[in-house]
């Protein structure tokens, strides 16, 4: 690894967890080789996440102590899933004295546009069904960097009704990805120009941050090895608001006004 920027290193071992949606996704990056487990498994994340991680490590022939970092989808998403993913990632990172790297679930999802043919400079609207008649949404532009196309945010992450999602002003050149386009009978999708490219039903759930070599959402080259573990803040409720004991959302999320941005710090 001599001569390389230590902050951006492709030769590393990275374990990634994405539990923010109905899909349970675990991936292992070993010096550019990616292994993964992915299944739409509502309410089974706690059962599957750690056994899958151990299985991937065993397949790759590496021990947990050989990991360089642990990545985790920090949401937005279901409170239980995000909390579980962050707890697992922080627990492993703290035990190994390794950095825990939070990755936006919407940013990871935006990279699915690459599979639809999106190239450099392509604008993407990522949306996830948030239930309760709302979606999580954010806009991105795919930008080349560190050997991959990376999603650069052009808007804040929001939770709002699908008929209130602000559509980008880029004509018909946008790509749309995520389960949010099918929420409430496809309200958001019905608002789109005919030229928009949408994923097939089988591609509407986000994959883990390093799900495949060809469409990695945030490859290890983008992850700073000194990212402090305490910064792994899940974005399912606003800072200072305790989660509700009677719902998977905090009171502030249940009654959030339209176009309310998440606190991502």
């Amino acid at each position: 690894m001599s001569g390389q920027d230590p902050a951006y290193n492709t030769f590393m071992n990275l374990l990634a967890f994405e539990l923010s949606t109905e899909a349970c996704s675990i991936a292992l990056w070993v010096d550019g080789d990616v292994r993964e487990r992915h299944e739409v498994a509502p309410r089974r994340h706690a059962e599957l996440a750690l056994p899958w991680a151990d299985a991937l490590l065993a397949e790759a022939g590496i021990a947990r102590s050989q990991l360089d970092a642990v990545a985790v989808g920090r949401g937005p998403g279901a409170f239980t899933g995000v909390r579980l993913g962050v707890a697992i990632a922080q627990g492993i990172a703290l035990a190994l004295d390794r950095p825990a790297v939070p990755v936006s679930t919407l940013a990871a999802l935006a990279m699915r546009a690459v599979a639809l043919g999106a190239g450099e400079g392509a604008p993407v609207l990522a949306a996830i069904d948030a239930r309760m008649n709302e979606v999580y949404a954010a806009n991105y532009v795919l930008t080349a960097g560190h050997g991959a196309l990376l999603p650069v945010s052009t808007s804040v992450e929001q939770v709002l009704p699908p008929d209130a999602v602000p559509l980008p002003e880029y004509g018909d050149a946008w790509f749309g990805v995520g389960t949010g386009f099918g929420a409430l009978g496809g309200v958001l999708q019905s608002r789109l120009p005919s030229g928009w490219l949408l994923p097939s039903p089988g591609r509407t759930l986000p994959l883990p941050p390093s799900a495949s070599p060809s469409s990695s959402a945030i490859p290890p080259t983008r992850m700073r090895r000194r990212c402090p573990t305490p910064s792994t803040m899940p974005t399912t409720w606003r800072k200072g608001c305790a989660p509700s004991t009677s719902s998977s959302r905090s009171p502030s999320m249940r009654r959030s006004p339209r176009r309310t941005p998440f606190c991502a710090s």
Side-chain angles (χ1 to χ4, degrees):
M1 296 189 293
S2 61
Q4 297 185 15
D5 181 348
Y8 298 106
N9 177 21
T10 56
F11 299 102
M12 66 185 303
N13 301 327
L14 173 74
L15 183 62
F17 294 88
E18 175 52 79
L19 311 180
S20 303
T21 71
E22 300 95 325
C24 180
S25 298
I26 315 297
L28 177 66
W29 173 293
V30 179
D31 296 340
D33 179 43
V34 179
R35 302 166 188 266
E36 67 169 312
R37 294 284 188 278
H38 175 82
E39 181 180 332
V40 179
R43 296 179 295 279
R44 296 186 63 208
H45 296 58
E47 170 190 349
L48 299 175
L50 283 175
W52 279 3
D54 289 337
L56 290 174
L57 290 168
E59 289 176 13
I62 67 172
R64 288 192 185 186
S65 59
Q66 293 176 274
L67 292 172
D68 295 294
V70 183
V72 59
R74 55 123 175 106
F79 169 72
T80 301
V82 175
R83 179 180 61 175
L84 176 65
V86 169
I88 290 175
Q90 285 191 323
I92 295 174
L94 287 170
L96 299 175
D97 191 24
R98 301 290 191 273
V101 184
V103 177
S104 165
T105 298
L106 285 170
L109 176 59
M111 280 309 304
R112 301 312 301 155
V114 175
L116 297 175
E120 183 177 1
V124 181
L125 172 59
I128 298 174
D129 187 352
R131 311 302 183 190
M132 299 181 70
N133 302 324
E134 292 180 318
V135 297
Y136 304 114
N139 299 327
Y140 299 89
V141 171
L142 299 182
T143 303
H146 307 292
L149 289 176
L150 303 175
V152 176
S153 175
T154 59
S155 74
V156 296
E157 296 178 345
Q158 302 176 87
V159 57
L160 68 176
D163 60 0
V165 174
L167 298 182
E169 299 177 357
Y170 283 78
D172 59 2
W174 276 73
F175 290 78
V177 291
T179 55
F181 288 90
L184 293 179
V187 171
L188 178 56
Q189 183 166 342
S190 69
R191 299 174 55 213
L192 304 181
S194 59
W196 278 47
L197 295 178
L198 296 171
S200 64
R203 287 179 175 168
T204 57
L205 287 172
L207 296 179
S210 297
S212 69
S214 61
S215 60
S216 170
I218 305 290
T221 51
R222 188 65 185 270
M223 295 181 176
R224 294 193 176 275
R225 297 172 63 102
R226 288 298 144 201
C227 176
T229 298
S231 69
T232 312
M233 175 69 72
T235 50
T236 56
W237 62 90
R238 294 187 187 86
K239 185 184 299 183
C241 294
S244 170
T245 57
S246 60
S247 171
S248 61
R249 296 188 184 188
S250 70
S252 63
M253 284 295 295
R254 291 200 303 273
R255 299 181 177 84
S256 58
R258 300 173 98 175
R259 305 187 185 182
T260 301
F262 287 93
C263 172
S265 61

